């Protein structure tokens, strides 16, 4: 029985190696027309891994072909869909370097923003309901910068409206992140740090609900430090904004805009 199992394992291994070798040979010998056609077809079918294999071969083996730009746009999308965010950002960077004057640059910048925002997300956090605002924010800030660059450079882009909505979501999340840090300091009686944090929130996120909530911590911090005049001034700001309505900022749903543009 053990011998039969061993023979079966050898047969399966040989079959896998042969299939892999056949696949590599196909990619190595196919023309750019065939590679792009198969990559585009796989992309359309949702077979993103296969699409990436063919499209990468098309771009790497035939870098000056007429398919180069479109293949790279398709690769950005395919890598994003497989959640290979590093490959997505590398492809975006290469695309912007190779096609600095392309009218499709807005798509590449938009996808960079979505990718950095996705990097900041975490499926486990979503599942357990953990608030991302309490987590590391570097990728989220980079995403904001991507969307901001898009809106400034391409105000009439079809991606700009969605970028603006995502910027609002990011600002709200970053403000809540700062509030969590201020609360952390307050629990440790680090009142100078609390006041400085809320001052920063007032400068960066003046219209966020989290910033208004931070005012109560700032007032407490001033009171703990014996700075009654500043505490009184903070209370005046609180009173002036007590009836202010804050929008319920939610993360925008994934848009159909992520589909790769066609030249």
């Amino acid at each position: 029985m053990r011998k039969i199992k061993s023979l079966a394992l050898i047969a399966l291994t040989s079959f896998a190696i042969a299939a892999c070798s056949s696949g590599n040979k196909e990619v190595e010998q196919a023309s750019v027309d065939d590679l792009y056609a198969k990559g585009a077809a796989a992309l359309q079918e949702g077979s993103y891994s296969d699409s990436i294999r063919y499209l990468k071969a098309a771009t790497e083996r035939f870098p000056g072909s007429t398919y180069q730009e479109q293949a790279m746009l398709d690769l950005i999308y395919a890598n994003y869909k497989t959640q290979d965010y590093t490959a997505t950002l590398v492809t975006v960077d290469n695309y912007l370097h190779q096609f600095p004057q392309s009218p499709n640059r807005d798509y590449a910048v938009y996808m960079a923003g979505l990718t950095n925002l996705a990097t900041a997300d975490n499926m486990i956090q979503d599942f357990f309901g953990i608030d991302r605002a309490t987590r590391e924010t570097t990728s989220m800030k980079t995403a904001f910068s991507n969307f901001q660059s898009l809106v400034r450079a391409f105000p009439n882009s079809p991606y700009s409206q969605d970028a603006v909505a995502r910027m609002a979501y990011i600002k709200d999340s970053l403000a809540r992140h700062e509030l969590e840090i201020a609360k952390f300091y307050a629990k440790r009686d680090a009142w100078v740090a609390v006041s400085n944090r809320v001052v920063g929130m007032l400068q960066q996120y003046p219209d966020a609900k989290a910033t208004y909530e931070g005012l109560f911590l700032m007032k407490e911090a001033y009171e703990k430090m014996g700075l009654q005049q500043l505490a009184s001034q903070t209370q005046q700001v609180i009173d002036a904004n007590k009836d202010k309505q804050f929008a319920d900022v939610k993360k925008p749903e994934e848009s159909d805009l992520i589909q790769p543009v066609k030249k």
Side-chain angles (χ1 to χ4, degrees), residues 30-256:
S31 68
V32 66
D33 299 295
D34 286 342
L35 288 172
Y36 180 73
K38 290 179 178 179
L43 189 71
Q44 191 69 28
E45 295 167 0
S47 301
Y48 301 117
S49 295
D50 286 340
S51 178
I52 290 169
R53 186 161 63 94
Y54 290 120
L55 293 172
K56 279 190 67 177
T59 59
E60 292 173 357
R61 288 184 53 214
F62 306 96
S65 79
T66 57
Y67 298 103
Q68 182 74 2
E69 181 176 359
Q70 188 61 58
M72 293 187 75
L73 291 171
D74 292 346
L75 269 174
I76 290 170
Y77 175 72
N79 283 316
Y80 178 81
K81 293 298 288 185
T82 60
Q83 299 184 6
D84 189 343
Y85 299 134
T86 298
T88 306
L89 292 173
V90 168
T91 307
V92 167
D93 187 63
N94 289 339
Y95 175 84
L96 293 173
H97 178 73
Q98 291 186 39
F99 302 99
Q101 304 302 321
S102 172
N104 298 316
R105 286 175 300 147
D106 57 343
Y107 174 78
V109 176
Y110 175 68
M111 290 302 294
L114 290 184
T115 303
N116 280 305
L117 186 55
T119 302
D121 290 346
N122 185 294
M123 291 181 66
I124 295 177
Q125 291 178 17
D126 283 337
F127 183 80
F128 288 104
I130 299 173
D131 188 352
R132 290 187 202 91
T134 65
R135 303 304 183 186
E136 192 273 335
T137 61
T138 300
S139 295
M140 193 167 281
K141 290 177 180 178
T142 304
F144 185 89
S145 179
N146 294 143
F147 291 131
Q148 188 175 57
S149 297
L150 169 64
V151 173
R152 288 177 176 174
F154 310 98
N156 298 319
S157 167
Y159 311 106
S160 291
Q161 184 175 352
D162 189 67
V164 169
R166 292 179 190 279
M167 287 167 66
Y169 164 76
I170 292 172
K171 288 182 71 173
D172 183 74
S173 296
L174 292 174
R176 288 187 289 115
H177 176 79
E178 292 299 303
L179 180 61
E180 290 299 322
I181 295 175
K183 289 178 179 178
F184 174 85
Y185 287 140
K187 289 178 181 178
R188 287 154 182 76
D189 297 329
W191 300 112
V192 173
V194 170
S195 61
N196 288 340
R197 211 79 196 190
V198 179
V199 167
M201 292 172 67
L202 287 166
Q203 293 171 343
Q204 297 181 65
Y205 318 110
D207 298 322
K209 182 179 180 180
T211 300
Y212 177 73
E213 294 172 357
L215 290 172
F216 294 89
L217 283 177
M218 187 162 72
K219 178 192 173 187
E220 181 182 5
Y222 287 144
E223 289 174 342
K224 294 291 186 180
M225 292 186 290
L227 303 173
Q228 294 303 323
Q229 183 176 356
L230 289 175
S232 178
Q233 291 174 353
T234 304
Q235 182 62 53
Q236 290 176 15
V237 177
I238 292 172
D239 293 340
N241 289 275
K242 65 180 180 180
D243 296 323
K244 185 173 181 178
Q245 298 296 315
F246 296 95
D248 184 17
V249 181
K250 295 181 180 179
K251 182 181 178 181
E253 298 293 330
E254 186 170 279
S255 171
D256 291 338

